[in-house]
């Protein structure tokens, strides 16, 4: 077996197999992110160096390697690295390689604080008495989240300002915490006791209340939202895009918890991987959606989004096979991490990852070659989940599945086969890419053998 084959087999393991330790995916990804962080500091300007200094000190310090790995692989840390791409040529090259973001708007100088949330939590965990100012920056949802904390601060949109990409400062003195927009020194939008801020950011205390909080800026009313654990797993549910005034956030959360529990019962091997790689599930309710839809973002590996639509009678509109999409997004998360590991080694699967196909009838749109090369591996996870559930008679689901599994499985197999033809037609494979596609063919053949057995015995 060639070195390339051995390498890709160690990255793209068969569905349900978790490799821990030095050869595990998260350890390799952590090392890659540490290298990217170090490169971000190379030739960085004074403001960026200042913003990254607390994180640099932490990574250079005596904290246990497992704790550092937890930070380096946290979705908010990775998201922050991507946001810093305009300030670092190396980060920009990495960002362009592993995402499909062709437009590069002029960098917002305040975006150097994109890892300010990470720096703040590290500072306070190391020294609860720390006082001073920390600059922060809202994400695309208008939120500031913290890596080891379930709380996030959400700034709703107003008439003149989108919630995304807003500079925020937090000033801590010995008794109070002052949250302000940008570099303003006038009224904060939130003042809370210092101890409440520490209980939120350091202790992750879920019993906070706002009795001693004030909101002096009438134009900015923040919301503090706390993610909750999904059932017995450590995966968090974060209802970030569900309208208020209904019970839909709770219903969606309960639905997601039941699906995760069903995966634990009916597909224990995939569940072990799922809880290993997925940190949070974000809940949405998109207008006029007809069924559950799932999605993920290469800048946030470990976070999946799920949209649940509701009928006029407030009933969730469900696809009975929506559980397979959880495998789909986990497969994407592994692909995103693999892409970064490959980049750190100076490798890639294709040389034309930024090119696009013509419109593909199955999808009704073109696909980037970067996405195309991911299809076989991602859909193997969907297919494996379907087979596991079918063999378990779908017993873990909170709804009955009375038919249609064969059609769904056959379509999944067809989609993988079509992707191989599209890869042959459009992808300029590197030697590692050739080895990877050969490996995907082998995994597909094994899955197809099992599929024939499952269909026969069902």
């Amino acid at each position: 077996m060639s070195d390339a084959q051995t390498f890709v087999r160690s990255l793209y393991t068969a569905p349900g197999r978790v490799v821990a330790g030095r050869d595990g995916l998260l350890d390799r990804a952590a090392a890659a992110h540490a290298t990217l962080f170090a490169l971000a500091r190379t030739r960085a300007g004074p403001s960026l160096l200042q913003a990254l200094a607390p994180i640099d000190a932490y990574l250079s310090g005596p904290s246990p390697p497992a704790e550092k790995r937890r930070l380096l692989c946290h979705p908010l840390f990775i998201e922050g690295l991507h946001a810093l791409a305009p300030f670092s040529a190396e980060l920009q090259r990495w960002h362009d390689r592993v995402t499909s973001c062709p437009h590069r708007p002029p960098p917002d100088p305040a975006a150097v604080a994109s890892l300010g949330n990470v720096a703040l939590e590290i500072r306070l965990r190391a020294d609860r008495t720390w006082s001073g100012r920390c600059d922060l920056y809202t994400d695309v949802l208008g939120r500031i989240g913290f890596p080891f904390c379930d709380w996030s601060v959400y700034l709703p949109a107003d008439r003149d300002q989108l919630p995304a990409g807003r500079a925020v400062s937090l000033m801590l003195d010995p008794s109070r915490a002052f949250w302000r927009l940008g570099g303003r020194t006038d009224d904060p939008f939130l003042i809370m006791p210092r101890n409440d801020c520490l209980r939120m950011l350091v202790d992750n205390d879920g019993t906070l209340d706002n009795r001693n909080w004030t909101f002096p800026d009438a134009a900015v009313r923040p919301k503090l939202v706390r993610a909750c654990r999904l059932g017995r797993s450590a995966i968090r549910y974060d209802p970030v895009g569900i309208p208020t005034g209904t019970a839909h956030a709770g219903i969606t959360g309960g639905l997601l918890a039941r699906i995760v529990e069903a995966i634990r019962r009916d597909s224990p091997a995939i569940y072990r991987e799922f809880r290993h790689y997925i940190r949070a599930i974000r809940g949405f309710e998109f207008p006029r959606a007809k069924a559950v839809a799932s999605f993920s973002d290469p800048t946030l590996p470990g976070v999946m989004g799920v949209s649940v639509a509701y009928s006029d009678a407030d009933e969730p509109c469900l696809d009975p096979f929506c559980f397979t999409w959880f495998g789909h997004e986990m497969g994407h998360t592994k692909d995103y991490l693999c892409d970064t590991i490959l980049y750190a080694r100076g490798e890639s699967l294709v040389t034309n990852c930024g090119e696009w196909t013509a419109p593909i009838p199955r999808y009704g749109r073109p696909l980037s070659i970067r996405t195309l090369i991911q299809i076989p591996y991602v859909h193997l996870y969907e297919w494996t989940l379907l087979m596991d559930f079918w063999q378990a008679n779908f017993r873990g689901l909170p709804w009955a599945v009375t038919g249609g599994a064969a059609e769904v499985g056959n379509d999944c197999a067809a989609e993988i086969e079509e992707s191989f033809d599209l890869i042959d037609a459009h992808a300029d494979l590197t030697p590692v890419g050739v080895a990877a596609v050969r490996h995907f063919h082998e995994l597909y053949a094994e899955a197809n053998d099992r599929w024939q057995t499952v269909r026969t015995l069902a």
Side-chain angles (χ1 to χ4, degrees):
M1 185 179 295
S2 69
D3 290 343
Q5 288 175 299
T6 300
F7 176 58
V8 299
R9 286 171 181 267
S10 71
L11 287 184
Y12 300 96
T13 54
R17 182 170 178 238
V18 177
V19 179
R22 281 189 312 176
D23 294 329
L25 200 62
L26 291 181
D27 280 282
R28 294 181 180 186
H33 295 141
T35 298
L36 288 165
F37 178 81
L39 291 171
R41 298 182 71 256
T42 304
R43 296 191 295 276
S47 59
L48 181 56
L49 283 175
Q50 182 180 3
L52 300 181
I55 306 173
D56 185 48
Y58 169 79
L59 294 176
S60 303
S63 295
E67 184 180 294
K68 293 179 182 178
R69 187 199 73 178
R70 185 181 172 211
L71 175 70
L72 288 164
C73 287
H74 197 285
L76 295 180
F77 180 83
I78 301 169
E79 183 183 41
L81 286 180
H82 281 283
L84 293 176
F87 303 95
S88 164
E90 187 63 40
L91 288 183
Q92 189 68 64
R93 282 191 288 271
W94 163 67
H95 175 83
D96 291 344
R97 174 74 65 82
V98 303
T99 70
S100 300
C101 303
H103 302 296
R104 300 183 189 177
D108 177 357
V112 296
S114 294
L115 282 173
N117 55 346
V118 178
L120 174 63
E121 193 163 356
I122 285 173
R123 272 179 167 145
L124 292 176
R125 285 177 177 270
D127 179 10
R128 292 179 72 101
T129 67
W130 178 83
S131 293
R133 169 178 162 157
C134 187
D135 292 321
L136 310 168
Y137 198 66
T138 62
D139 65 11
V140 295
L141 298 173
R143 303 181 350 144
I144 300 168
F146 305 91
F148 304 127
C149 167
D150 293 331
W151 290 96
S152 58
V153 179
Y154 172 55
L155 298 182
D158 58 32
R159 294 180 180 178
D160 304 316
Q161 176 71 56
L162 293 173
R166 300 179 77 175
V168 173
S169 69
L170 172 63
M171 177 67 72
L172 280 169
D173 72 14
S175 62
R176 293 182 296 177
F178 303 85
W179 300 78
R180 288 184 173 89
L181 285 180
R184 291 166 54 176
T185 58
D186 54 357
D187 286 342
F189 61 77
L190 170 60
I191 303 175
M192 62 169 58
R194 176 191 176 93
N195 189 51
D196 280 3
C197 191
L198 292 174
R199 286 170 58 202
M200 179 176 73
L201 299 181
V202 181
D203 303 328
N204 197 23
D205 190 338
T207 65
L208 290 176
D209 60 62
N210 62 1
R211 285 179 296 179
N212 297 315
W213 302 0
T214 59
F215 303 88
D217 189 343
V220 182
R221 183 72 181 200
K223 293 195 298 184
L224 271 70
V225 181
R226 190 170 192 264
C228 61
R229 180 175 292 191
L230 279 174
R232 68 183 74 187
S233 77
I235 302 162
R236 266 44 183 183
Y237 166 58
D238 200 0
V240 300
I242 299 177
T244 58
T246 69
H248 295 178
I251 296 172
T252 296
L255 171 65
L256 296 178
R258 293 291 298 273
I259 295 174
V260 171
E261 175 62 15
I263 295 172
R264 186 190 71 82
R265 291 185 58 188
D266 289 359
S267 183
I270 297 295
Y271 176 77
R272 284 193 294 271
E273 278 202 273
F274 192 79
R275 70 180 185 182
H276 194 69
Y277 293 109
I278 300 298
R279 302 291 187 103
I281 302 178
R282 291 179 170 177
F284 295 83
E285 184 180 340
F286 294 143
R288 294 182 298 279
K290 295 182 179 179
V292 180
S294 69
F295 48 94
S296 57
D297 185 332
T299 68
L300 268 174
V303 176
M304 65 176 286
V306 174
S307 173
V308 180
Y310 284 81
S311 70
D312 292 339
D314 279 342
E315 293 290 334
C317 304
L318 297 175
D319 180 328
F321 297 99
C322 63
F323 61 88
T324 63
W325 300 346
F326 288 64
H328 182 103
E329 303 309 338
M330 191 190 67
H332 270 311
T333 283
K334 291 186 69 176
D335 269 320
Y336 301 150
L337 295 174
C338 288
D339 283 346
T340 291
I341 295 167
L342 287 163
Y343 178 84
R345 284 174 56 101
E347 301 275 9
S348 65
L349 300 185
V350 295
T351 62
N352 61 336
C353 61
E355 295 180 6
W356 292 73
T357 69
I360 298 173
R362 173 181 285 274
Y363 306 108
R365 59 186 174 87
L367 292 182
S368 71
I369 306 303
R370 179 185 297 103
T371 299
L372 180 61
I373 198 71
Q374 292 181 359
I375 291 175
Y377 193 60
V378 165
H379 285 79
L380 279 169
Y381 274 90
E382 285 194 48
W383 205 15
T384 300
L385 265 181
L386 176 66
M387 287 187 270
D388 287 349
F389 271 67
W390 200 1
Q391 288 190 305
N393 295 316
F394 305 100
R395 63 188 175 191
L397 292 172
W399 58 80
V401 177
T402 57
E407 291 79 8
V408 172
N410 288 338
D411 188 64
C412 192
E415 188 166 1
I416 296 172
E417 291 177 350
E418 289 172 19
S419 72
F420 286 137
D421 292 337
L422 290 167
I423 289 169
D424 287 343
H426 297 285
D428 185 6
L429 298 172
T430 66
V432 173
V434 170
V437 172
R438 184 180 299 121
H439 178 53
F440 298 155
H441 273 284
E442 292 169 357
L443 292 176
Y444 170 75
E446 293 172 5
N448 195 41
D449 287 343
R450 182 189 174 195
W451 176 242
Q452 303 309 318
T453 301
V454 170
R455 287 184 55 195
T456 301
L457 296 178

